[in-house]
Amino acid sequence: MNPTQHVRFAVVSALSALSFSLSAPAIAQPAAPAQSPSDPAAPAVAATPTEAPAPAPTAPAPATASAAMATATPTASAATPRVPPPAARSSQDRQGQLALGGAWNVGFPVASVHHFTNAVSGLGFEFMLRSFVLPQVSLGASADFQSFVATKPRATYQLDNGALTATAYNTVQTVALRGTLHFYALKNGPVLPYAGVTFGLGWSTFQSAAAGLAFYDNQASVLLGADAGALFPITDSSLALLFAVRYLALPVSEFLSVDSVQSVSLQFGLLTL
C-alpha cells in the first residue's frame, strides 16, 4: 500500500468514527435519589424567601362630577333658608281692626205685619262696618233696606164710610240705620260664632192699593233687634263668609191693621278680617 492510500484510509476511518459518535443515543445518567427532609445526612438547604414586591402607590380615583358638585356646592336647604309659613292672625292682631262687608237678607214678616203682607222677601241688602275694640268684642254700624210686597186675595175691607170688596196689593218697605254690638265666642278658629244686639232708627213706608184706591203712609220708629251667627274665615285670605239670623222690631210703626213692624231675616254675606 502506498503512502497515499494510507492517508486516505486514515481520513475515512476518522470520519466514520465521528459520524458514529454523533448518531449514537446518549446514555441517560441515573438521577440522584431525593433526599428526605428527615435525613440527618442531607445537607440543609436554606430556603431563600422571596420578598413580595412593595405595592405601587395607587392614585385616588377621580371624584365624579356629581360628588364634586355635592362637595363644593352646599345643599339648597343650607344655602337658602326656608321661609316659615305665615302664622295665622292672632286675636291680638284682630284687636283694633276694622271689618267691612255686605250681606243679602231674606226677610220673613212676623206678628201684625204678617197679616198685612205675608210674602217672604228676598229684596233685602245691608252694608256693615265692625271695629274690634277687644279681641272678642266689636262695635259697629250698618245700613239696610228691606221690602215686602204681597197680593191679598179678593175680600171686603171695612172703611170709615162703608166697605170695599176688591183685591188688595200691600207693600211695606223699611230703611234702618243701626249701631251694633257683637260678642265672639272664640278668639281664633275656622268658625267664629257670635251674638249681638242692634239699636237705632227705622223708617217704614206702607201702601195698600185696591180698586183704584190707594192708602199710603210713612212712619219713623226706634229700632231694636238682636242677631246670632258665625264668621267663616277663608284660608289664605283676608275675607270671611257670614251667616246670621236677625230679628228686627219697629215698635211704633203703625198703619191700618199694623201695630208694629217686626221681621226675621236670614243673612248671607262677606266680611273682611
Side-chain angles (χ1 to χ4, degrees):
M1 181 180 295
N2 55 29
T4 302
Q5 292 178 343
H6 282 289
V7 172
R8 289 179 179 176
F9 179 78
V11 172
V12 172
S13 299
L15 291 175
S16 299
L18 178 60
S19 62
F20 178 78
S21 61
L22 292 174
S23 61
I27 299 175
Q29 297 294 330
Q35 296 180 354
S36 173
S38 61
D39 188 1
V45 179
T48 304
T50 59
E51 296 181 357
T58 58
T64 62
S66 59
M69 293 178 63
T71 304
T73 305
T75 60
S77 60
T80 305
R82 297 183 62 183
V83 179
R89 187 185 298 271
S90 66
S91 59
Q92 296 299 326
D93 293 337
R94 188 170 293 123
Q95 183 172 348
Q97 183 181 4
L98 287 177
L100 301 174
W104 170 51
N105 300 337
V106 179
F108 302 83
V110 296
S112 61
V113 73
H114 176 77
H115 302 288
F116 183 73
T117 173
N118 58 358
V120 175
S121 171
L123 301 176
F125 307 95
E126 180 174 357
F127 300 96
M128 63 189 72
L129 179 149
R130 298 181 185 182
S131 175
F132 286 84
V133 294
L134 293 173
Q136 293 177 254
V137 177
S138 70
L139 290 175
S142 68
D144 63 85
F145 167 83
Q146 189 76 52
S147 178
F148 300 96
V149 180
T151 300
K152 305 297 289 184
R154 184 178 179 85
T156 299
Y157 301 94
Q158 297 297 324
L159 302 177
D160 293 339
N161 298 323
L164 175 65
T165 301
T167 300
Y169 302 92
N170 297 340
T171 302
V172 177
Q173 295 177 339
T174 62
V175 176
L177 295 176
R178 60 180 90 213
T180 61
L181 171 64
H182 291 103
F183 173 77
Y184 299 81
L186 301 175
K187 293 181 179 180
N188 288 292
V191 180
L192 302 176
Y194 68 86
V197 294
T198 61
F199 48 89
L201 293 174
W203 294 265
S204 301
T205 299
F206 301 91
Q207 181 174 324
S208 179
L213 295 177
F215 300 92
Y216 178 89
D217 195 9
N218 288 324
Q219 294 285 332
S221 173
V222 296
L223 181 151
L224 302 174
D227 60 351
L231 299 179
F232 301 86
I234 301 174
T235 306
D236 299 330
S237 173
S238 60
L239 300 176
L241 299 177
L242 177 147
F243 174 76
V245 178
R246 187 182 65 184
Y247 169 75
L248 164 71
L250 301 173
V252 295
S253 292
E254 299 178 353
F255 177 76
L256 298 179
S257 61
V258 178
D259 56 14
S260 65
V261 174
Q262 301 179 58
S263 65
V264 175
S265 299
L266 297 180
Q267 288 188 298
F268 307 91
L270 195 64
L271 201 68
T272 62
L273 281 181

